[in-house]
Amino acid sequence: MNTTIMTPITPLFPHLPERLAGLEELAENLWWSWNPGARMLFKTLDRQAWKESGHNPDKMLRELSPVLLEKAATDPEYLLRFDAVMEVFHNYMTIEECRLPGSACHGHKCTVIYFSAEYGLHRSLPFYAGGLGFLAGDFIKECSDLCLPLVAVGFMYPDGYFRQQIRDDGWQENFVESINRDAAPVSRVMDTDGKQLVIRVPLTDPPIYVAIWKVDVGRVPLYLMDTDLELNDPWNRSITARLYDGDLEQRLRQEIILGLGGAQMLKILGIKDYILHLNEGHAAFALLERIRATVSEGKEFTQALNEHIEATIFTTHTPVPAGHDVFPFPLIEKYFHSYWPGLGLDRDAFLKLGIHPENPDSGFNMTAFALRLSGHRNAVSKRHAQVSRQMWHSLWPDVPEDQVPIEYVTNGVHVPTWIEPKIMLLLDRYLKAGWMDRHDDPAIWRDIDIIPDAEMWRTHYFLKMKLIDAIRERSRRRWVNGDAGASMMLTGGVFLDPSVLTIGFARRFATYKRALLIFQDLPRLKKILMSRWRPIQIIFAGKAHPADDPGKRLLQNLITLARDPELGGRIAFVEDYGEQLAQYLVHGVDIWLNNPLPPAEACGTSGMKAALNGVPHLSVLDGWWEEGFNGKNGWGVKHEEIPDDPDGIDAGKIYHLLENEIIPLYYTMSENSIPVEWVKLMKESIKSNAAQFSARRMVREYAEKFYFQSISREKNYEKKHF
Ligand SMILES: *Cc1c(COP(=O)(O)O)cnc(C)c1O
């Protein structure tokens, strides 16, 4: 990398005493967010201010009084903790060696460039819509922890993803809360003149200008592109305003910026010779820039493609057709007619790259395009690989379906991000020292069995109360603001009872996820919910995509049900599902429910987050749960269709499990009021899933299957040719 990156000279937090200058370093690197010691440094400065800042140190340090900061700077206890955290942080940032065994990175240039349209990193950066974003966020955090040389590329969305508020009639309303770039952990990337780096993306007239920002995610730099510049005309200016614009042309323009603009930015930053990893097809145009450079050196397209294909990895994330972008040919022509000659291609040859053979007239399919131009392709679970091979068989018509070259790497979650700090402390007491450093080793988790049941249960119960408190606090704030909708919120908040078996269901309101399945047989559900001695309660959360009216109707039906006194106040809906609420939910409910319509769930990750915290999974067998379910770590429901009803008898099976296994197990207490058998299940849930579905296991697999392979094969290539 060359020297165009400089940090601004003016101090970000003028009131910060010299002795605590390190807090600025910490605040500007998201490392703090997955290290409890660092988090506590901010929180203990002023708990109220911490809460009000939305756990955003950038915001908090700007607003704290100098007196308070001075006090901390002279408090020996605080300084002791501060110095310890700073030492850990500095050591972390200076490790040089990749920590993966057998790493091919040593002494060989192997920067991985990771492209993703969304990143779920922390509540202060709302650049995500759902699972894809969290996968990307967890992925780059883990690469940082493993010292894998990686640079991430994405978008600065000043409007983020929409916030959700439910109207009195149950309809979802969307509102936008623009982020203040100066009070978020992002910094400007500066050019050699000391101004923010701005690149120019051609292809359009007028050209599009893109400003570059950076988020430090531990050791990984995440570069974000931003078109919200006065230099741009209004249409260009709004390209990166929000995630997944409904307008098709604007969406194509987003993908041009992400792919072509991203590749150009890398060139300006001096990043060359990289392995390109596309997280979903949105950034697939990035594949073209390397090829174009090689073609300009006098090679033919195919030759140029073959030179780069080995260092290209494409990860597909969904079997749902709407998840694959298809652009009408005239739109592609409009933007690319001046581009394809540079690739040595004519119109037809270019458009052919994006054709789905089964549906050649439908348009330019970004997934087909990415599959063709990548040397390594993968799905995100074993089941999803089977489905993807079937979906894309027509691209490889000469091989049998099971040999279609799409492998799989099952997703995982970043353990330090998703494990609850109290659970972490509990494990610190009973697992071997240094367990967190070896958390992808299943053997390290076996000692969970020696945790006393009472201690395990007490910890969980505390987290359940914390969840309920958090929901009530949200209702209170809504009520204070005088919102009529608060009556609905109160229903959930007030009636939630920590002693009741609590089911959590939170995810996007996409129809295939079947949020309302459990209401299929209302009288039967009613009986379960309203049982006098052994009731259950269900907490729902999730947003419907702004353009998804069927999803919104589903949500409205759910709100109506939640408000119906006939269901006893046992159904709660919490607005505005996001990272913070997800944390409370996956830590605090008793069961995590998932009932998608197979095989639409490519993987699913929220269930992994829950399982890691001892919250067993009750799920239809689909996605990761086909690999995770072992018969004793939760419940697996095998989907069965019946004529004329795609939902089949899944709901019946869930009721049956609740009535005959789950509820009796939960409410059978020992003399000291501990549900001993349930605690055993909780332990099994952690023990069997934590290592296997960790982001560390996932990143290791990507490195072994793809990154290291492309390095060694490239080396062979060099040997052969030079
Ligand atoms: C983990 C997570 C998701 C993805 O969950 P799925 O199980 O894949 O649906 C979505 N949103 C948030 C806020 C999350 O934390």
Side-chain angles (χ1 to χ4, degrees), residues 546-688:
D548 177 16
D549 278 346
K552 286 192 217 168
R553 269 195 294 278
L554 213 63
L555 183 51
Q556 189 174 35
N557 290 343
L558 174 66
I559 303 293
T560 309
L561 287 161
R563 284 178 180 163
D564 184 351
E566 291 272 302
L567 292 182
R570 296 292 188 201
I571 307 287
F573 180 85
V574 191
E575 290 173 321
D576 207 33
Y577 184 49
E579 183 261 341
Q580 189 170 24
L581 182 58
Q583 293 275 7
Y584 284 120
L585 284 167
V586 299
H587 301 152
V589 297
D590 296 309
I591 294 179
W592 197 253
L593 173 67
N594 191 20
N595 46 35
L597 185 63
E601 183 92 307
C603 182
T605 50
S606 54
M608 300 173 183
K609 300 168 192 167
L612 172 66
N613 288 284
V615 174
H617 202 208
L618 163 57
S619 171
V620 168
L621 288 164
D622 195 16
W624 78 281
W625 196 229
E626 285 206 354
E627 294 158 60
F629 180 51
N630 68 4
K632 51 181 183 171
N633 59 357
W635 300 272
V637 174
K638 195 156 171 43
H639 171 64
E640 269 178 74
E641 266 180 43
I642 44 177
D644 303 325
D645 184 3
D647 282 342
I649 52 174
D650 299 357
K653 288 185 176 179
I654 293 173
Y655 299 135
H656 184 85
L657 279 172
L658 283 168
E659 291 159 345
N660 298 292
E661 288 187 34
I662 298 173
I663 294 171
L665 193 71
Y666 181 87
Y667 284 105
T668 304
M669 307 269 176
S670 66
E671 281 162 46
N672 49 355
S673 299
I674 313 284
V676 184
E677 289 304 310
W678 188 270
V679 172
K680 201 185 266 175
L681 181 70
M682 291 175 62
K683 290 178 179 174
E684 180 63 28
S685 165
I686 303 178
K687 210 166 50 172
S688 60

Side-chain angles (χ1 to χ4, degrees), residues 187-191 194-198 211-213 226 229:
S187 55
R188 291 174 169 79
V189 174
M190 311 303 260
D191 65 16
K195 291 205 291 276
Q196 183 166 21
L197 179 62
V198 172
I212 310 297
W213 299 80
D226 182 2
L229 290 172

Side-chain angles (χ1 to χ4, degrees), residues 124-233:
S124 57
L125 296 171
F127 304 154
Y128 60 84
L132 181 71
F134 283 96
L135 194 268
D138 282 10
F139 190 94
I140 66 176
K141 286 174 185 172
E142 191 58 55
C143 288
S144 170
D145 288 348
L146 287 170
C147 304
L148 195 91
L150 182 130
V151 171
V153 182
F155 274 136
M156 156 76 80
Y157 299 104
D159 292 348
Y161 197 50
F162 73 96
R163 306 279 308 268
Q164 176 194 53
Q165 214 165 56
I166 305 298
R167 258 184 359 212
D168 257 0
D169 63 359
W171 192 251
Q172 166 180 298
E173 291 213 316
N174 316 323
F175 70 98
V176 165
E177 189 180 53
S178 299
I179 78 159
N180 175 357
R181 295 169 178 78
D182 290 321
V186 290
S187 55
R188 291 174 169 79
V189 174
M190 311 303 260
D191 65 16
T192 35
D193 301 333
K195 291 205 291 276
Q196 183 166 21
L197 179 62
V198 172
I199 63 166
R200 181 173 174 272
V201 185
L203 285 203
T204 61
D205 184 24
I208 301 164
Y209 295 93
V210 182
I212 310 297
W213 299 80
K214 184 165 77 121
V215 181
D216 286 306
V217 185
R219 307 162 51 91
V220 170
L222 162 60
Y223 291 104
L224 300 174
M225 291 182 285
D226 182 2
T227 58
D228 184 16
L229 290 172
E230 277 176 21
L231 271 170
N232 285 325
D233 70 17

